[in-house]
Amino acid sequence: VECKTLGEKTFVFVCTYSQATERANKTNLSRDNTFYRGALHAFGVCEERCDTICQEKCPNESWENILLPSWKKTFLGELKCSPATLQLRRNEKTTDSGLEGDRYGILVAGYDGILYYIDALTGNEISTCSDLGGAIHASPIVTTMDCQKEEEEAFAFVASSTWTGRVTCLSLSTQTMVKLWHIDCWTPIYSKLLVYPKCMNSGDNTIKKYSTKLIFGAIDGSVRCLDTSENGVEMWNTTVPKQKPIFSGCCPMKVNGLDCIVVGTNGGNVSCIDTKCGELLWSFDAKSAILGTPAVLVDDEGNYSNEKKNNAIVVVTTTAGFVSLIDSSTGEEVASTAAKGYRLDGEIFSSPILDSTNRVAYVGCRDNHLYKIRISKRHE
């Protein structure tokens, strides 16, 4: 799910895919007998009570914060990722070329191995790209940059979940999507790519060259870092303890002044890695698989004091239904639901969402419940 304000209106974009029973019974056949396995739904958020459209469609509701269907687009492949939105701004020079207004786009990719670039307001297809290494499970990533052109330029990164493990970089304009380079990692990639943007000056300090680092976990139990300024050349490759598959995304954080990431594995390990050199700083064994991306609890200034230590707290969920709090500096567990003698009534596949100001974690569980867990100042 992706929620984004585009212009003056807020939209919610949702990816869905058909169940096995629907495929067997062919209940989603189109008029031309094509079976569409995936769909992207766009909903407009109605925020005003006086909206007459809301009153007509939902006469018995309060008409506030209602989702109204805007458009729907179907795909041959299953969609198991979140869509990525982008806004490309046009400057005043584009008036002469007949182009007006910003481009609000959305990217989505699925098991058909195709990346779709879609107009977020209308659902119309702008461009597509295939030859991306096969089926795609991880969500595409978009980074926008300012440049000395008539309009902004954006870059998209996408990774395949086949054994090719292809990572592809594409350039996006308001009208086109062009592949720039790709690199094959030869291991499936299910975790979302983490982007570290940076801007480097040229020798004469007049032209800025844009670059990013991509960091992600893979099925072979490794965490990798690619340099996009060198067409995806691998900067470092770190194998986590137990070398189990990684489905979790990487969460950035600071540890003693170092830029680091923390990631969970299917083997139950939570690992902290230095993003500059790939050094493994610590690893904690949570005893059961971690599928969701860890989250870091910080205050409004970017730090959350562990009372005696000025360390952030890492919140981790496991498929056994437990929640753990880990000291970001030492990797030691400071509290857990297991230590309190309880667990959630189902597996946890989702990532925790944190309200750091109120010290609250929200966790979705496979018992069909959303849990609110309060974290005290002593991290209980």
Side-chain angles (χ1 to χ4, degrees):
V1 178
E2 175 81 359
C3 182
K4 195 76 172 180
T5 299
L6 307 177
E8 299 180 352
K9 192 170 182 179
T10 301
F11 288 86
V12 174
F13 301 98
V14 182
C15 288
T16 61
Y17 62 93
S18 61
Q19 301 297 320
T21 53
E22 293 179 315
R23 295 197 292 269
N25 298 327
K26 297 188 179 299
T27 54
N28 280 350
L29 286 176
S30 66
R31 293 180 179 179
D32 60 356
N33 289 326
T34 301
F35 184 82
Y36 293 101
R37 300 170 184 265
L40 175 61
H41 307 259
F43 299 91
V45 179
C46 176
E47 299 174 340
E48 298 182 3
R49 188 183 182 90
C50 61
D51 193 316
T52 56
I53 298 179
C54 289
Q55 296 180 26
E56 293 174 359
K57 292 190 176 183
C58 310
N60 299 322
E61 302 290 342
S62 64
W63 313 320
E64 296 178 357
N65 295 322
I66 294 174
L67 297 181
L68 297 177
S70 180
W71 52 263
K72 173 185 176 182
K73 187 172 181 61
T74 53
F75 305 88
L76 294 177
E78 298 177 11
L79 302 183
K80 295 190 177 182
C81 66
S82 296
T85 57
L86 69 147
Q87 177 182 359
L88 292 176
R89 294 182 175 86
R90 298 186 176 105
N91 63 27
E92 297 178 356
K93 296 180 181 180
T94 59
T95 304
D96 297 336
S97 60
L99 300 176
E100 297 181 359
D102 297 345
R103 164 70 77 190
Y104 298 104
I106 188 166
L107 292 180
V108 67
Y111 278 31
D112 59 2
I114 300 174
L115 180 64
Y116 297 87
Y117 181 16
I118 299 167
D119 188 305
L121 299 180
T122 65
N124 295 330
E125 186 176 287
I126 300 172
S127 182
T128 62
C129 185
S130 56
D131 189 27
L132 300 174
I136 297 169
H137 183 95
S139 302
I141 298 296
V142 178
T143 302
T144 306
M145 64 168 287
D146 294 315
C147 55
Q148 305 298 320
K149 297 181 180 180
E150 292 186 348
E151 61 186 32
E152 282 184 316
E153 187 176 8
F155 293 97
F157 301 96
V158 64
S160 71
S161 56
T162 62
W163 284 107
T164 303
R166 177 168 296 178
V167 177
T168 304
C169 174
L170 306 100
S171 173
L172 300 170
S173 69
T174 56
Q175 303 294 327
T176 62
M177 178 169 61
V178 179
K179 186 192 300 184
L180 299 180
W181 54 260
H182 75 262
I183 184 171
D184 294 334
C185 298
W186 298 109
T187 179
I189 301 169
Y190 281 80
S191 66
K192 187 175 182 178
L193 305 177
L194 177 65
V195 178
Y196 269 91
K198 58 183 179 181
C199 203
M200 303 180 297
N201 290 329
S202 62
D204 56 7
N205 291 323
T206 59
I207 301 176
K208 291 185 176 180
K209 182 180 179 181
Y210 181 77
S211 176
T212 61
K213 293 191 294 186
L214 299 178
I215 302 177
F216 56 91
I219 293 300
D220 65 354
S222 67
V223 178
R224 304 176 185 224
C225 178
L226 307 183
D227 186 353
T228 65
S229 65
E230 299 293 337
N231 291 342
V233 65
E234 188 172 87
M235 299 177 66
W236 50 261
N237 182 331
T238 301
T239 300
V240 296
K242 298 183 183 178
Q243 201 171 352
K244 295 295 183 179
I246 299 175
F247 297 97
S248 160
C250 298
C251 178
M253 66 177 183
K254 288 276 189 179
V255 176
N256 300 324
L258 299 176
D259 289 323
C260 302
I261 60 96
V262 61
V263 63
T265 74
N266 205 45
N269 282 88
V270 185
S271 298
C272 177
I273 300 173
D274 186 338
T275 61
K276 184 176 181 179
C277 60
E279 179 185 358
L280 179 65
L281 300 181
W282 55 256
S283 185
F284 170 76
D285 189 356
K287 307 300 183 184
S288 55
I290 301 167
L291 299 183
T293 302
V296 178
L297 186 68
V298 296
D299 62 16
D300 294 335
E301 297 179 354
N303 255 317
Y304 189 80
S305 175
N306 187 7
E307 293 212 325
K308 295 182 180 180
K309 304 175 183 178
N310 190 28
N311 300 335
I313 293 298
V314 179
V315 182
V316 177
T317 57
T318 72
T319 57
F322 295 114
V323 180
S324 295
L325 306 182
I326 303 171
D327 187 296
S328 65
S329 181
T330 64
E332 298 176 353
E333 186 179 64
V334 297
S336 70
T337 55
K340 288 290 183 179
Y342 74 92
R343 53 166 288 180
L344 306 190
D345 293 331
E347 298 174 306
I348 304 175
F349 287 6
S350 64
S351 305
I353 301 297
L354 303 185
D355 176 358
S356 294
T357 301
N358 296 308
R359 299 191 300 274
V360 170
Y362 295 93
V363 179
C365 183
R366 289 177 66 85
D367 64 352
N368 300 326
H369 285 79
L370 175 66
Y371 289 84
K372 177 181 179 180
I373 301 175
R374 188 172 299 281
I375 304 171
S376 72
K377 291 183 179 180
R378 294 184 178 182
H379 309 306
E380 297 175 343

